[in-house]
Amino acid sequence: MTNNKGPDPRMDMARIPRHVAIIMDGNGRWAKRTGQPRSKGHEAGARNVREITEACRELGVKALSLFAFSTENWRRSKREVDSLFNLMTKSIKRYSDQIHKTNVRLLHMGLSDGLPAEVAGDIQKCVELTRNNTAMDVCIALNYGGRRELTDAARKIARQVQQGELRPEDITEETLAAHLYLPGHSEVDLLIRTSGENRISNFMLWQISYAEIVVTPTLWPDFNRDRLHETLVEYQSRNRRFGGRP
Ligand code: IPE
Ligand code: IPE
Ligand code: MG
């Protein structure tokens, strides 16, 4: 749903966060509330991805990272996992052209191994199609876990040390950042979690170290433009000190 009211007048367009990350939670509860199967909640959630991506692009957000499937979500029933991946291939097929037309670059963050071949292939195609786009990066975290990302980085660095290409004393924070899944992806400014859960659930552990966190009770399928604008107003009211003194 689009609203024609325009951005919240309290919002300062000169202080839009560069990188927004969202833990899109609450699809199941949204479905339950309306007496529908969980898959209907995921469908409504997938539709909302488009709405919020578009809203962020219009506001000038430069990077949007969306948590779509965690390495822990494999613990769900096969039926739910299958329906989630079906939905993902459908959505990517349906929206690839639109993503490209709006000059958005799609990125994937997570393990391709373990993903159904069709999902991995469709994502790869869209990543290739949009690779030179410049309006905004949309990073889909799919089969992603923050601990696994850091573990994989440690392994890559250890191999370089083993091969004599790097000395342990030369390993810095920059070295680690350069070995994450998407080395060029900036740190997160604003982390939003929908559905009122006050936890990180293994999302972008390195990149959120100084992110402002906003937890909203709104369930993901109901998190519309107005809610996004409210969240940005809240972000702009924060005093980001980064450990220093104002
Ligand atoms: C988020 O909604 C989507 C995924 C984690 C894939 P949930 O499915 O976690 O919804 P709730 O938390 O059960 O309401
Ligand atoms: C986090 O939501 C993962 C995604 C949104 C993809 P979960 O619903 O899996 O998180 P927990 O289990 O409540 O921590
Ligand atoms: Mg959940």
Side-chain angles (χ1 to χ4, degrees):
M1 230 199 314
T2 5
N3 96 44
N4 301 315
K5 283 189 303 189
D8 190 311
R10 295 169 300 167
M11 191 157 52
D12 178 353
M13 294 303 288
R15 285 173 56 228
I16 296 295
R18 246 191 91 73
H19 188 169
V20 176
I22 309 182
I23 302 174
M24 308 183 289
D25 198 14
N27 295 350
R29 278 162 283 171
W30 184 89
K32 195 170 176 201
R33 209 182 53 196
T34 49
Q36 301 183 83
R38 292 179 63 83
S39 59
K40 290 289 170 198
H42 293 313
E43 281 171 26
R47 285 194 295 275
N48 200 38
V49 168
R50 186 175 164 214
E51 165 94 3
I52 293 301
T53 301
E54 206 32 43
C56 285
R57 192 185 61 86
E58 284 166 12
L59 291 169
V61 169
K62 294 311 283 178
L64 176 65
S65 296
L66 299 169
F67 205 4
F69 191 89
S70 75
T71 44
E72 289 71 39
N73 287 146
W74 292 105
R75 294 176 187 152
R76 299 188 180 197
S77 71
K78 183 170 173 348
R79 189 160 160 223
E80 180 167 0
V81 170
D82 287 349
S83 86
L84 274 166
F85 284 128
N86 270 334
L87 186 60
M88 282 171 204
T89 41
K90 260 201 235 158
S91 304
I92 293 167
K93 282 193 172 79
R94 185 177 302 155
Y95 296 127
S96 259
D97 286 343
Q98 158 106 19
I99 293 171
H100 190 39
K101 263 192 221 138
T102 50
N103 196 20
V104 164
R105 178 166 74 157
L106 188 84
L107 303 166
H108 170 229
M109 183 166 71
L111 300 161
S112 294
D113 282 359
L115 285 180
E118 196 183 2
V119 179
D122 286 343
I123 291 181
Q124 204 40 46
K125 264 188 230 154
C126 190
V127 166
E128 285 297 320
L129 174 73
T130 62
R131 60 185 300 176
N132 295 319
N133 290 349
T134 54
M136 174 172 70
D137 283 343
V138 172
C139 166
I140 300 289
L142 191 62
N143 201 12
Y144 172 85
R147 286 186 169 190
R148 181 60 194 264
E149 180 177 36
L150 293 172
T151 308
D152 285 347
R155 272 195 202 148
K156 287 181 224 160
I157 294 168
R159 252 179 239 122
Q160 291 182 11
V161 172
Q162 191 181 39
Q163 283 159 12
E165 293 162 9
L166 188 66
R167 295 182 307 174
E169 56 273 31
D170 291 335
I171 297 172
T172 61
E173 291 190 9
E174 287 70 30
T175 316
L176 210 124
H179 289 83
L180 298 176
Y181 293 143
L182 297 173
H185 210 38
S186 57
E187 303 219 346
V188 174
D189 296 302
L190 168 63
L191 173 69
I192 302 169
R193 182 163 187 153
T194 58
S195 87
E197 304 290 1
N198 289 287
R199 57 177 171 265
I200 300 299
S201 300
N202 204 12
F203 193 40
M204 298 184 90
L205 299 179
W206 179 274
Q207 301 89 333
I208 61 166
S209 58
Y210 263 105
E212 292 299 326
I213 302 176
V214 177
V215 175
T216 161
T218 307
L219 304 175
W220 172 248
D222 290 332
F223 187 80
N224 58 18
R225 279 168 195 252
D226 288 348
R227 298 285 95 76
L228 174 72
H229 293 175
E230 280 167 17
T231 306
L232 295 189
V233 170
E234 163 71 28
Y235 166 82
Q236 291 175 346
S237 76
R238 305 275 179 91
N239 184 1
R240 300 186 77 188
R241 286 186 290 274
F242 299 96
R245 293 191 60 188

